[in-house]
């Protein structure tokens, strides 16, 4: 009876050791859970926004008869718009309005007298499109622009509103979830208008270059 009991004990021990070894192999061979990739912040550019800008403009005024003269000065105003976003593509519409300190002085050959030009109020309505490279948005813009100008000659002056086009590009940066800053370049070209200046009339148009910095609140 002793020998069979010994064989039984040995058999049970071998079986237990084999089961433990198989369980250990199962534990060590089990696949490791994937390590989650670090999250990358994604800024949402869609929605309405409004802000303010300051800038510096240089202008070239064209008179009838081929005479030209330059002007420059600081500008400032407000802008508002609405963005839509599809993946990294951001697009929308924007409007701005502002006041200008741009003025220039030249010579009118028709009457042989100095002529002064001054830009007062301006604005635009534009489309915008860009690519989001968080936390930046690189964009282009184009649309219609208007500017209220005054010409003065020999004590007489007249004001007219010039209509033209504007286009440009810039970069916008997220300061926080609701605040953005921007730096933008714009070129605008305005058609000629006729100014009645006493005993003479002057047809004048102009184009301008503008560098602007702005800050906006996203709603």
């Amino acid at each position: 009876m002793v020998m069979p009991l010994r064989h039984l004990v040995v058999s049970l021990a071998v079986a237990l050791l084999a089961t433990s070894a198989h369980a250990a192999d199962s534990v060590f061979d089990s696949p490791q859970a994937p390590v989650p990739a670090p999250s990358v912040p994604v800024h949402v550019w869609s929605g309405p926004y409004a802000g303010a800008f300051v800038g510096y403009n240089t202008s070239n005024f064209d008179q009838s008869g081929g005479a030209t003269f330059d002007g420059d000065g600081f500008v400032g105003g407000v802008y508002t718009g609405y963005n839509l976003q599809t993946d990294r593509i951001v697009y929308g519409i924007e409007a701005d309005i502002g006041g200008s300190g741009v003025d220039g002085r030249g010579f009118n050959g028709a009457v042989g007298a100095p002529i002064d030009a001054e830009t007062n109020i301006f604005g635009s309505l534009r489309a915008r499109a860009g690519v989001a490279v968080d936390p930046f948005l690189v964009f282009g813009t184009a649309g219609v622009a208007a500017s209220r100008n005054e010409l003065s000659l020999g004590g007489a002056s007249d004001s007219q509103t010039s209509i033209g086009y504007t286009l440009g590009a810039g970069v916008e940066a997220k300061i926080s979830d609701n605040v953005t800053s921007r730096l933008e370049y714009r070129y605008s070209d305005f058609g000629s208008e006729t100014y009645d200046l006493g005993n003479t009339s002057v047809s004048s148009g102009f184009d301008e270059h503008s560098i602007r910095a702005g800050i906006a609140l996203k709603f």
Side-chain angles (χ1 to χ4, degrees):
M1 294 296 292
V2 175
M3 290 301 292
L5 180 59
R6 180 182 297 173
H7 286 306
L8 179 60
V9 170
V10 172
S11 298
L12 288 174
V14 170
L16 288 173
L17 288 172
T19 303
S20 299
H22 179 71
D25 290 340
S26 299
V27 170
F28 287 111
D29 292 340
S30 61
Q32 297 293 323
V35 178
S39 60
V40 178
V42 177
H43 295 295
V44 177
W45 294 90
S46 59
Y49 60 91
F53 69 89
V54 293
Y56 190 80
N57 286 14
T58 60
S59 300
N60 179 260
F61 295 88
D62 302 310
Q63 302 177 71
S64 51
T68 66
F69 61 96
D70 297 327
D72 61 351
F74 290 97
V75 298
V78 295
Y79 60 94
T80 185
Y82 193 96
N83 284 329
L84 298 171
Q85 184 170 1
T86 303
D87 295 328
R88 291 187 176 274
I89 305 301
V90 180
Y91 52 96
I93 192 168
E94 183 175 287
D96 62 57
I97 187 169
S100 172
V102 173
D103 54 36
R105 184 176 177 86
F107 189 80
N108 183 274
V111 296
I115 185 170
D116 297 292
E118 181 179 300
T119 301
N120 298 315
I121 301 173
F122 61 90
S124 70
L125 179 63
R126 295 167 284 106
R128 279 207 325 159
V131 178
V133 186
D134 291 332
F136 301 103
L137 173 65
V138 181
F139 66 88
T141 185
V144 63
S147 180
R148 186 71 174 176
N149 306 307
E150 180 178 336
L151 292 188
S152 301
L153 176 68
S157 63
D158 189 22
S159 296
Q160 298 291 336
T161 299
S162 297
I163 305 296
Y165 67 87
T166 184
L167 52 87
V171 60
E172 199 162 347
K174 284 278 189 177
I175 298 176
S176 69
D177 287 341
N178 297 319
V179 180
T180 64
S181 62
R182 69 165 58 173
L183 183 64
E184 179 184 27
Y185 164 77
R186 293 260 296 278
Y187 171 77
S188 304
D189 192 359
F190 297 90
S192 296
E193 297 293 332
T194 300
Y195 296 80
D196 295 322
L197 302 173
N199 296 325
T200 187
S201 294
V202 174
S203 178
S204 179
F206 73 103
D207 61 352
E208 67 180 13
H209 301 269
S210 180
I211 297 291
R212 304 177 184 184
I215 188 167
L217 177 66
K218 179 179 176 293
F219 302 105

